[in-house]
Amino acid sequence: MRIAYLLNTYPMTSTTFIRREIEALEADGVAVRRFAIRPWPHALVDPRDVADQARVHYLLSGNAAGLARALARQALLGPLALLRGLWLAARLARAGGGLVRHAAYLLEAVYLLAQLRTAGIEHVHAHFSSNAAAVALLARRMGGPSYSFTAHGPDEFLTAAADGLSLKLADAAFVVAISDFCRGELLRLGGAEHRDKIAVARCGLDLAEFVPAGPPAAADRDVVCVGRLCPQKGQALLPAAAAALRGTVPPFRLILIGDGESRAEIEAAIARHGVADLVSLAGWRSNPEVRAAIAGARALVLPSFAEGLPIVLLEALALERPVVTTTVAGIPELVDAGCGRIVPPGDVGALTGALRDILLADPETLAAMGRTGRARVARHHDLRDLSATLRGLLAAAVAPGPRVPADAAPAKARAAEAAVAADA
């Protein structure tokens, strides 16, 4: 089975989970070609991301001549297909985003289509339902292979109408939702008539990479926050919470790993609340460094306002560290009082109280939370299970004959594999 993964920007420091997903499929015998519309303009800090970047074929980024040649060839050899793509691009543009944007998507789709044909790609899978899914849809309408996409939220749900989500759902072979909440949003925005092609496949971890370091010692009171510094993740609330905790708990530190557009706002909040001795910004770190920081901490905090289902929560729980986070999107499907604390977004008082509970908890309580969290990740977020589900969906998508419901696709693929084994 030869498939392509298509991303808007890849790799980034926040797309480690996609790299792991691709690597798991490859380990299971699926040939995966990596395509992205553009490279990330910042330096990558993880060596595995750096290595993976060399395997990505970029549609843009110094490729003007290649795009022009692909367009001329398509106009000469497949003018009717190009007209179909042009008509669909105009239809998507009317929904929102404008003609220029969708003309660019059409040009990218023409170039991608040529690359897919050369490589013998049987199916394209995109992550997120925005730019990359639009390019995959246009390539499909011009005679390209079937496609699918994984929806995460939350931003893509805010622009669903303008992005033509219903059209993408209608033409997709299947759609992956990363949580029950995400599936509900897809049904609400795209229409319940597509329910049979939407499968919940939760993001996964290779648990062998996340070996628990044992419960934290009573004196260990570092709390880490990992993620892009941005308004959606709410890190600007942490200095106020740290100031409220001062003097009510033993000495502690809040360490923020990551960087982004909210850095200046967070630095100003640290100065305003006088907590430079309690809150520090560590910048981006490699995956091994992040794992080590979480394993060496008492807990992880992520006070988000808007999320899909943050991978770093899975990582902390897999390392048997409790988490403090918010009742946003798919997070309550993972986190409860058994493995941490979950509070309303934006409630500094509740956030402060939850952090106080964790900072005052005895090692036995923390250890019990950690065991519960790891067991939950093992049960619902094992990367091997995700790979098996995706492999089944992909096999059903490329198999000849009518499409089957997404929930039945893995079973169909397993039956086909068993039949092949029986004949061998």
Side-chain angles (χ1 to χ4, degrees):
M1 182 163 47
R2 296 182 299 276
I3 70 164
Y5 261 55
L6 176 62
L7 293 307
N8 180 29
T9 306
Y10 178 83
M12 303 189 297
T13 54
S14 58
T15 57
T16 297
F17 67 98
I18 299 176
R19 173 173 54 72
R20 290 173 180 152
E21 182 180 302
I22 294 172
E23 290 171 346
L25 285 170
E26 290 177 324
D28 285 340
V30 180
V32 182
R33 291 286 298 270
R34 297 149 172 80
F35 292 89
I37 294 174
R38 57 179 59 82
W40 199 44
H42 307 290
L44 294 165
V45 296
D46 190 271
R48 289 170 67 182
D49 286 335
V50 173
D52 208 41
Q53 188 176 48
R55 303 180 65 184
V56 181
H57 189 131
Y58 291 102
L59 308 187
L60 298 183
S61 183
N63 191 32
L67 293 166
R69 284 194 299 269
L71 180 61
R73 181 177 178 82
Q74 184 67 50
L76 179 65
L77 300 180
L80 293 180
L82 183 59
L83 286 174
R84 288 197 302 270
L86 185 60
W87 177 85
L88 178 58
R91 186 177 175 190
L92 289 167
R94 285 196 298 272
L99 283 171
V100 173
R101 172 180 165 189
H102 286 90
Y105 292 168
L106 178 61
L107 186 58
E108 293 157 15
V110 168
Y111 178 81
L112 175 67
L113 182 57
Q115 301 303 314
L116 298 176
R117 286 172 172 162
T118 299
I121 296 299
E122 301 171 88
H123 184 86
V124 178
H125 186 72
H127 265 269
F128 302 96
S129 61
S130 50
N131 304 25
V135 174
L137 167 61
L138 287 163
R140 172 63 172 169
R141 287 288 184 93
M142 290 187 291
S146 59
Y147 75 93
S148 54
F149 61 87
T150 296
H152 298 260
D155 292 346
E156 58 194 305
F157 298 145
L158 300 177
T159 58
D163 285 341
L165 177 61
S166 59
L167 286 171
K168 295 168 185 174
L169 276 167
D171 268 31
F174 66 88
V175 177
V176 172
I178 65 163
S179 65
D180 294 325
F181 174 86
C182 181
R183 186 174 191 271
E185 287 295 280
L186 287 171
L187 292 174
R188 178 178 69 85
L189 295 166
E193 68 271 20
H194 300 303
R195 63 186 179 276
D196 287 343
K197 68 168 63 174
I198 302 173
V200 175
R202 304 176 193 277
C203 297
L205 296 181
D206 180 355
L207 290 173
E209 293 186 9
F210 295 84
V211 179
D220 292 339
R221 286 189 169 79
D222 285 356
V223 177
V224 297
C225 176
V226 182
R228 184 167 61 93
L229 304 183
C230 59
Q232 295 96 318
K233 292 190 181 293
Q235 298 104 327
L237 301 180
L238 290 173
L245 288 167
R246 188 192 292 276
T248 69
V249 296
F252 67 94
R253 293 190 307 163
L254 285 175
I255 303 168
L256 279 63
I257 297 175
D259 211 335
E261 62 266 36
S262 290
R263 184 182 184 98
E265 180 186 2
I266 295 167
E267 289 174 336
I270 291 171
R272 185 168 65 252
H273 292 285
V275 291
D277 58 325
L278 302 178
V279 183
S280 60
L281 282 72
W284 288 116
R285 293 292 184 265
S286 68
N287 289 331
E289 290 172 327
V290 169
R291 285 197 295 272
I294 295 172
R298 171 169 285 243
L300 178 132
V301 60
L302 194 65
S304 299
F305 301 143
E307 287 284 3
L309 182 58
I311 301 299
V312 72
L313 296 180
L314 306 182
E315 296 177 344
L317 295 178
L319 290 167
E320 295 191 356
R321 290 297 178 263
V323 298
V324 175
T325 187
T326 53
T327 54
V328 169
I331 294 177
E333 297 173 34
L334 174 68
V335 180
D336 59 22
C339 59
R341 296 290 182 267
I342 186 163
V343 300
D347 189 333
V348 177
L351 176 64
T352 302
L355 287 169
R356 183 179 291 111
D357 285 350
I358 295 297
L359 289 167
L360 293 176
D362 57 75
E364 293 75 18
T365 299
L366 295 174
M369 286 183 177
R371 289 191 297 271
T372 298
R374 183 173 175 89
R376 195 165 296 173
V377 172
R379 186 164 60 249
H380 298 296
H381 296 275
D382 191 315
L383 186 59
R384 295 170 300 181
D385 295 336
L386 172 63
S387 181
T389 298
L390 289 173
R391 196 169 67 251
L393 291 166
L394 291 165
V398 303
R403 293 177 183 171
V404 297
D407 289 339
K412 178 185 176 184
R414 287 193 296 270
E417 291 172 0
V420 171
D423 290 339

